[in-house]
Amino acid sequence: MDSIDSADNVENTDTVVVVGAGPAGMMAAIKAAENGAAVTLLEKMPRAGKKMLITGKGRCNITNVAEKQELIKNIPGNGKFLHSCLKSYDNEDVQLFFQGLGVPVKVERGGRVFPVSDRAADVVDAMVLRLHELGIRLVTDARVAGLLLEAGAKGEACVKGVRTADGSQYHGRAVIVATGGASYPGTGSTGDGYRWAAEAGHHVVKPLPALVPLEAEDDWVKELQGLALRNVRATLLADGKKAGEMFGEMLFTHFGVSGPIILSLSRQAAQLLEAGSFLELEIDLKPALSLEQLDARLLRDFEKYQRKEIKNGMKDLLPGRLIEPVLDAAYLEPERMVNTVTREERHRLAQVLKGLSMVISGTRPIAEAIVTAGGVDVKEINPKTMESKLVKGLYFAGEVADVDGYTGGFNLQAAFSMGAAAGCWSVWNS
């Protein structure tokens, strides 16, 4: 459905130039056009919304129905910065926007909002169609090389447009940079906006992977590849001190661990690893039971299977593949008879079940992260308008700024809210 226009080395005089046709960029372009601006939207990939097509496992989790404070709580990367734009354009606005475009939505577990069709392509196509309806010029295969900057009448820095790699210049009274972060570079998010922001005088917080699987040092972890656990609690320890905790589902992989609770802890893990901390992850396999309750449960199972080997005496308590790693951590031979286990050994086993530990050696590469932590320092962005505090007419929206959230629709909501603010204010401030 995309309109592909070739850059032709002719200067354009659109009021607003938007760089990046992802969720924030398309929303910014739409809102600017709805407010009367002539808009050019530049996208370096062959089509718009390529990264959106893979979000939510191809279903596109467009937002979450949580209250505003809960939304902010689930955006650990500078969620408070979004107070104003979430007030102006919230999760109800996002749902109404897509319903108005002919994309009915539904609410699933955890307040996550998806298109009824379960097709991310329907979300992207509806936004692209709206671009066309508004007369927005969508230029794909357009690789922006940098910003056009000059000094204003009072000596302040101003943006006047952008230049592309083929020598074209697109002039506008406002430029909105919505180029995304550095994750999934195959979708076009290669960190270009960071470079332009730095060239314009902005501080860029070092990009780190967020919502990314973690690599473990222990061989037993990798041998459990494919094993999923539900209703467990993962605690991240930095130099022996508790740094974070999550309850829910996780997955063992060929390199370490993944799954929702691991991804939610990964932002903090990446920052702590960057700072040189020694990281461990402790898994409470039975978080619903206290240590005393768990010991009583073990005692009952051991009485039931007293003539069995320990590895068979725990089949009611753990998935089969997990039994031997747990016994090994408790220094118990799997082939020992249950009736030979001492009270002290049983207590030690209970301790392991409440805190199975592994060493975290790193994260997967930033290219594999769902989102990027870091980006343009939000202290240098007006939280109401998304305009740069350093360069007049320059706006930032979406993941290019130092804003990131957990899974569950929070990142797309942030992108839509920031894009809406930038799009509106780029016109109103002109």
Side-chain angles (χ1 to χ4, degrees):
M1 293 182 65
D2 292 12
S3 170
I4 301 178
D5 296 322
S6 300
D8 52 11
N9 298 308
V10 176
E11 292 191 359
N12 296 273
T13 55
D14 297 90
T15 304
V16 176
V17 177
V18 183
V19 186
M26 285 195 284
M27 182 63 79
I30 288 168
K31 291 303 176 183
E34 288 178 346
N35 279 277
V39 181
T40 290
L41 174 57
L42 305 174
E43 168 57 47
K44 74 176 182 180
M45 301 303 288
R47 67 160 297 168
K50 189 168 182 180
K51 189 174 181 181
M52 286 181 70
L53 293 171
I54 62 174
T55 61
K57 297 180 180 179
R59 297 173 60 214
C60 199
N61 184 184
I62 60 173
T63 187
N64 192 290
V65 296
E67 296 292 327
K68 188 175 81 166
Q69 290 303 320
E70 192 66 19
L71 288 175
I72 289 171
K73 182 180 176 182
N74 280 278
I75 303 173
N78 293 310
K80 292 180 180 179
F81 169 76
L82 301 178
H83 264 291
S84 292
C85 66
L86 282 172
K87 183 178 180 181
S88 299
Y89 199 79
D90 63 14
N91 44 14
E92 290 187 12
D93 293 314
V94 168
Q95 293 175 73
L96 289 172
F97 171 77
F98 283 107
Q99 288 169 346
L101 298 184
V103 182
V105 300
K106 60 182 177 179
V107 181
E108 296 190 358
R109 180 173 56 89
R112 298 171 300 162
V113 180
F114 292 91
V116 170
S117 68
D118 286 328
R119 296 183 70 250
D122 291 348
V123 176
V124 175
D125 289 347
M127 294 191 80
V128 173
L129 179 59
R130 184 59 177 155
L131 297 175
H132 292 317
E133 291 174 346
L134 292 166
I136 293 166
R137 187 184 183 200
L138 173 59
V139 186
T140 55
D141 289 311
R143 294 184 173 272
V144 173
L147 304 173
L148 298 175
L149 302 171
E150 66 180 34
K154 298 179 181 179
E156 75 280 15
C158 299
V159 68
K160 293 300 179 183
V162 301
R163 55 184 172 81
T164 57
D166 67 359
S168 298
Q169 293 187 355
Y170 294 84
H171 288 186
R173 285 181 288 178
V175 171
I176 301 173
V177 176
T179 50
S183 58
Y184 291 137
T187 65
S189 297
T190 54
D192 299 337
Y194 302 149
R195 185 178 71 256
W196 308 333
E199 290 171 353
H202 279 276
H203 172 240
V204 176
V205 178
K206 183 176 180 178
L208 293 172
L211 297 183
V212 68
L214 300 178
E215 296 180 346
E217 190 173 287
D218 311 75
D219 290 336
W220 66 266
V221 175
K222 301 160 192 176
E223 291 167 1
L224 292 175
Q225 176 183 353
L227 176 64
L229 300 178
R230 293 183 177 182
N231 301 320
V232 297
R233 179 174 289 112
T235 301
L236 187 67
L237 302 175
D239 301 320
K241 296 180 180 179
K242 182 177 175 180
E245 184 179 88
M246 286 289 168
F247 174 84
E249 301 176 13
M250 64 171 287
L251 173 71
F252 291 93
T253 71
H254 68 284
F255 52 77
V257 285
S258 187
I261 61 175
I262 303 302
L263 297 181
S264 293
L265 288 170
S266 64
R267 180 186 197 273
Q268 200 164 13
Q271 293 174 331
L272 290 165
L273 287 164
E274 179 71 14
S277 296
F278 174 72
L279 293 193
E280 296 169 279
L281 190 71
E282 285 189 350
I283 309 300
D284 184 346
L285 298 167
K286 298 295 173 182
L289 301 177
S290 68
L291 199 57
E292 293 75 17
Q293 291 170 327
L294 181 56
D295 184 57
R297 167 67 190 274
L298 280 172
L299 189 57
R300 289 197 302 271
D301 284 5
F302 282 7
E303 287 175 353
K304 178 180 178 181
Y305 296 109
Q306 58 182 299
R307 292 187 174 86
K308 301 284 187 180
E309 294 178 340
I310 303 177
K311 63 183 179 182
N312 296 319
M314 295 184 66
K315 65 181 182 180
D316 295 344
L317 195 64
L318 293 174
R321 293 176 63 195
L322 193 55
I323 292 173
E324 292 203 19
V326 166
L327 291 175
D328 185 61
Y331 302 105
L332 288 169
E333 292 293 331
E335 290 77 22
R336 266 187 66 180
M337 300 303 292
V338 167
N339 58 14
T340 69
V341 177
T342 67
R343 180 173 180 271
E344 179 184 14
E345 289 171 331
R346 193 181 72 244
H347 287 177
R348 190 167 69 229
L349 177 57
Q351 292 279 2
V352 170
L353 289 166
K354 294 293 288 181
L356 181 61
S357 180
M358 66 188 75
V359 175
I360 299 301
S361 55
T363 70
R364 296 298 287 171
I366 196 168
E368 297 179 22
I370 296 175
V371 297
T372 308
V376 181
D377 194 334
V378 296
K379 295 176 184 176
E380 299 170 354
I381 303 172
N382 184 314
K384 182 177 182 180
T385 67
M386 296 298 126
E387 185 175 16
S388 164
K389 294 179 179 179
L390 308 182
V391 181
K392 183 173 176 55
L394 177 61
Y395 295 78
F396 297 99
E399 202 179 337
V400 68
D402 184 17
V403 174
D404 62 280
Y406 295 136
T407 57
F410 304 105
N411 287 292
L412 276 181
Q413 176 63 52
F416 291 137
S417 293
M418 294 170 76
C424 292
W425 284 98
S426 67
V427 180
W428 300 339
N429 279 343
S430 295

